[in-house]
Amino acid sequence: MRRSYVSIEGTAIRFGDNVDTDVIIPARFLTTTDESVLARHCFEDAYPGFANRIKAGDIIVAGANFGCGSSREHAPLAIKGAGISCIIASSFARIFYRNAFNIGLPLLESYEAANAIRQGDRLFVDIEEGEIRNLTSGNVFRSAPIPSFMLDLIDEGGLVPYIRKRKLSPHRVV
Amino acid sequence: MPMTITEKILADHAGKACVTPGEIVEVKVDLALANDITAPLAIKVFREMGADRVFDPSKVALIQDHFVPNKDIESAEQARVMREFAGEQGVVHFYELGDSGIEHVLLPEKGLVLPGDLIIGADSHTCTYGALGAFSTGVGSTDLAGVLATGEIWLKVPSTIKVVYQGQLRKWVQGKDLVLYTIGVLGVEGARYRTLEFSGPAIQSLSMEGRLTMANMAVEAGAKNGIVPPDEITRAYVAERSRRLGVFYGSDPDAEYERVVTFHVEDIEPQVACPHSPDNTKPVSEVRDVRIDQAFVGSCTNGRIEDLRSAAQVLTGRKVHEGVRLIVIPGSRDVYRKALSEGLFDIFLDAGAVIGPPTCGPCLGGHMGVLASGEKAVSTSNRNFVGRMGHPKSEVYLANPAVAAASAVLGRVGLPDEI
């Protein structure tokens, strides 16, 4: 029984290929680690007013290599802080992929979904099953399976509780 | 079972006889690295994990380089968090200002990263140390906090793309041009989740500084790591800086590669990556009508002494074009001192350049050379995304230091031979 991630319903917000972390959160805002401050500046230069237009639960749908570039974890934090519930893309840059799961922002890879979903479509996403239902068009997509190791992380609620519980328990031999 | 150099390093650090691509392994980390942007968040998460002490204070490097000398109150506060944590934990390799520099210039120079090491850094350009035959890759702050707490991290074993560079480099062609050309061919996600293994005669004759530049930009093709099998050049570089030589791994002749790509470097001219992507590359000779406002020589990609010498060679006896700002930033105190004692500063100053203290500053649009709306810059840094160096309506052209210096003199993108 996985409880960390339930199913999600939200509206699609479209992005293209190679959305980089400088665009997600420009470097001049990296002088803070506060999620709510980062969220205010999410996509500020490329899409002014982005943070104000988001409704909690909205889903980003993007093309290839989402989150490429700098390793700044401030990028998934800003997206999560802005209220985005999940990102669907045809592929993700590797550091962003790890970071998102570590902080509890689920990602699904599906080339077909990323190509077919349009701006404003209503989506229903089942993270565990990797199922994406487009409620507007009626299409159903399957995402690439999340590696079992990542599911373990999700089960624990992210890397922080995972390490606290499995690595730093009092029984750990130091 | 035959293995690549990357697979061998991962296998040894996982305590296994062999590993195969796709497998997830838990590895022991030789050095954990963070900077003044990523460390404060990692420290916050380290506390949330309930961790008390870092796994080994001698295997942690905390380096202030992005927003130093502190550009504002917030960055000063971030630096303080890092400094206090380093003191509390007895972190051996804590560097700020005087003895510091850009992390990826500093660590190889100080002999803190060695062949065969496994290095995890909260900075995407941690892949730089592959130039020494180490496995090194970038992660986020939460992953880094986990490493600080446990000394271990899980990694998916990447498959390897081998890139073979045949032949001899043309005049003015450097490691930067080879890697820009390679990214242009592969694309920004062409090596996503994979290893880029650089080899062939042109690499064997390339200096360590040129190799560091190449490994540094592996991430710009999406790679997990870039790596150059260590050789005599590696040995000479390490022996000068460290009592430990490290472990020299190599790829087995029958190791399995996902792809082998061969380039004949005689065909490669100096390259420039045009806005707004590192894979938008063209020969400099095709981009000569772009007028520029600023040129920057520095960064973790090209802020080493060889890079400054290359820029100085072009600038000797010449002046920067009217209306162009030239910024030169040595990557570390050692680079700064060498440049000063070799007389390079006089050449830069006479040309009309400004010399900054070691910092990442302008590369990420942080400080010390931020661009205004509509401005164009030639930069020796590593990324030219929208707004990377400042205003979202500014443009960045990535090039090698000789091309950046020549462009500063010409007032437009151009080659040293045009002056």
Side-chain angles (χ1 to χ4, degrees):
Chain A
M1 168 73 185
R2 303 189 192 284
R3 285 184 303 272
S4 312
Y5 290 179
V6 287
S7 48
I8 293 164
E9 194 172 325
T11 304
I13 300 171
R14 287 285 341 195
F15 284 88
D17 290 340
N18 301 315
V19 172
D20 64 80
T21 52
D22 273 271
V23 162
I24 296 169
I25 185 83
R28 65 182 181 279
F29 303 121
L30 302 182
T31 51
T32 180
T33 57
D34 184 329
E35 193 176 296
S36 61
V37 177
L38 293 167
R40 280 206 299 276
H41 299 296
C42 191
F43 287 109
E44 181 166 303
D45 291 346
Y47 307 94
F50 174 87
N52 299 329
R53 287 203 305 274
I54 298 301
K55 289 188 291 299
D58 283 357
I59 295 167
I60 288 179
V61 181
N65 204 26
F66 188 93
C68 60
S70 153
S71 67
R72 59 191 69 164
E73 203 165 293
H74 312 65
L77 279 174
I79 289 172
K80 185 171 166 234
I84 297 291
S85 58
C86 154
I87 308 175
I88 299 163
S90 42
S91 64
F92 292 92
R94 63 162 282 277
I95 301 176
F96 186 89
Y97 187 85
R98 289 183 75 112
N99 290 349
F101 277 92
N102 284 343
I103 66 156
L105 174 69
L107 312 177
L108 289 178
E109 278 194 349
S110 167
Y111 179 80
E112 290 73 20
N115 272 299
I117 295 168
R118 285 179 309 229
Q119 174 79 19
D121 283 357
R122 289 292 292 171
L123 306 176
F124 177 87
V125 178
D126 185 322
I127 299 292
E128 281 175 59
E129 296 298 322
E131 187 181 86
I132 302 158
R133 263 187 275 158
N134 189 333
L135 303 174
T136 305
S137 71
N139 292 335
V140 179
F141 307 96
R142 306 289 309 180
S143 76
I146 295 171
S148 62
F149 181 83
M150 305 295 283
L151 287 173
D152 288 349
L153 274 185
I154 293 173
D155 267 354
E156 296 291 0
L159 192 73
V160 172
Y162 177 89
I163 291 212
R164 191 192 300 136
K165 188 168 153 187
R166 300 197 184 195
K167 301 275 187 178
L168 301 178
S169 68
H171 309 296
R172 192 171 67 107
V173 182
V174 177
Chain B
M1 192 183 129
M3 285 192 285
T4 66
I5 176 171
T6 295
E7 290 157 7
K8 285 182 190 179
I9 297 173
L10 290 176
D12 274 3
H13 285 78
K16 299 179 72 148
C18 70
V19 294
T20 50
E23 183 181 345
I24 287 178
V25 291
E26 192 135 41
V27 291
K28 293 213 174 310
V29 174
D30 295 311
L31 190 74
L33 160 75
N35 60 49
D36 52 317
I37 286 179
T38 59
L41 189 51
I43 292 162
K44 191 165 144 183
V45 176
F46 178 84
R47 308 266 192 229
E48 284 169 14
M49 281 174 178
D52 179 33
R53 311 298 305 168
V54 299
F55 76 105
D56 182 342
S58 70
K59 292 185 175 176
V60 176
L62 296 176
I63 300 173
Q64 301 197 358
D65 57 1
H66 279 63
F67 292 149
V68 294
N70 292 147
K71 75 184 181 82
D72 52 20
I73 293 166
E74 289 84 357
S75 59
E77 292 293 338
Q78 301 265 72
R80 189 168 55 85
V81 167
M82 197 172 167
R83 187 180 306 116
E84 285 171 357
F85 181 81
E88 166 204 310
Q89 298 287 332
V91 169
V92 177
H93 306 299
F94 170 64
Y95 291 98
E96 61 174 340
L97 292 190
D99 188 27
S100 191
I102 300 172
E103 53 199 311
H104 311 308
V105 175
L106 195 75
L107 289 180
E109 186 178 86
K110 290 203 173 286
L112 296 176
V113 285
L114 298 175
D117 278 356
L118 192 145
I119 303 120
I120 300 292
D123 186 274
S124 62
H125 292 109
T126 303
C127 53
T128 305
Y129 317 127
L132 292 147
F135 175 90
S136 60
T137 193
V139 296
S141 293
T142 295
D143 267 327
L144 204 272
V147 177
L148 291 177
T150 66
E152 293 174 354
I153 192 168
W154 68 268
L155 295 170
K156 191 161 85 169
V157 179
S159 56
T160 299
I161 299 173
K162 184 178 183 177
V163 193
V164 185
Y165 299 86
Q166 297 285 6
Q168 288 199 319
L169 298 182
R170 288 158 60 157
K171 193 181 173 193
W172 303 118
V173 173
Q174 304 172 1
K176 182 63 164 282
D177 305 290
L178 295 185
V179 76
L180 285 176
Y181 185 86
T182 305
I183 295 163
V185 171
L186 296 176
V188 284
E189 67 156 347
R192 202 173 55 87
Y193 262 101
R194 293 165 181 83
T195 297
L196 278 180
E197 186 177 313
F198 301 115
S199 64
I203 302 298
Q204 283 154 6
S205 58
L206 191 65
S207 69
M208 182 51 69
E209 306 219 333
R211 296 175 186 189
L212 287 159
T213 299
M214 291 185 72
N216 170 276
M217 284 194 75
V219 68
E220 283 5 301
K224 183 169 202 150
N225 67 315
I227 198 159
V228 179
D231 56 14
E232 283 313 306
I233 287 177
T234 320
R235 192 178 305 277
Y237 182 90
V238 172
E240 241 182 88
R241 293 165 172 81
S242 165
R243 282 201 300 269
R244 236 174 15 110
L245 266 185
V247 182
F248 280 49
Y249 292 90
S251 290
D252 294 323
D254 49 352
E256 208 161 313
Y257 291 99
E258 181 180 310
R259 265 171 87 188
V260 178
V261 183
T262 304
F263 296 123
H264 294 276
V265 300
E266 283 90 350
D267 304 336
I268 300 176
E269 295 175 44
Q271 300 288 306
V272 59
C274 301
H276 288 282
S277 177
D279 67 2
N280 189 13
T281 55
K282 295 190 173 93
V284 174
S285 57
E286 291 177 18
V287 192
R288 287 182 297 188
D289 53 353
V290 177
R291 296 185 55 79
I292 62 163
D293 304 284
Q294 182 171 302
F296 166 49
V297 176
S299 86
C300 62
T301 311
N302 282 115
R304 299 177 184 84
I305 190 65
E306 194 178 276
D307 302 316
L308 269 59
R309 285 179 192 143
S310 175
Q313 186 187 347
V314 174
L315 291 167
T316 303
R318 297 196 170 92
K319 290 264 186 261
V320 169
H321 197 276
E322 197 180 333
V324 176
R325 313 176 295 265
L326 172 60
I327 301 167
V328 179
I329 299 189
S332 70
R333 180 175 68 171
D334 189 47
V335 175
Y336 197 99
R337 196 196 298 278
K338 276 194 180 128
L340 184 64
S341 66
E342 290 177 19
L344 307 188
F345 278 16
D346 285 334
I347 295 168
F348 296 140
L349 294 170
D350 291 346
V354 66
I355 301 164
T359 180
C360 306
C363 164
L364 70 158
H367 60 143
M368 296 212 178
V370 176
L371 298 173
S373 174
E375 291 194 325
K376 294 180 170 70
V378 172
S379 172
T380 65
S381 54
N382 41 58
R383 291 189 175 127
N384 58 346
F385 302 144
V386 173
R388 170 74 180 182
M389 284 182 78
H391 196 279
K393 289 196 167 59
S394 61
E395 291 187 352
V396 179
Y397 293 78
L398 304 174
N400 80 32
V403 170
S407 304
V409 172
L410 294 162
R412 58 167 175 82
V413 175
L415 290 159
D417 287 341
E418 294 183 73
I419 299 172

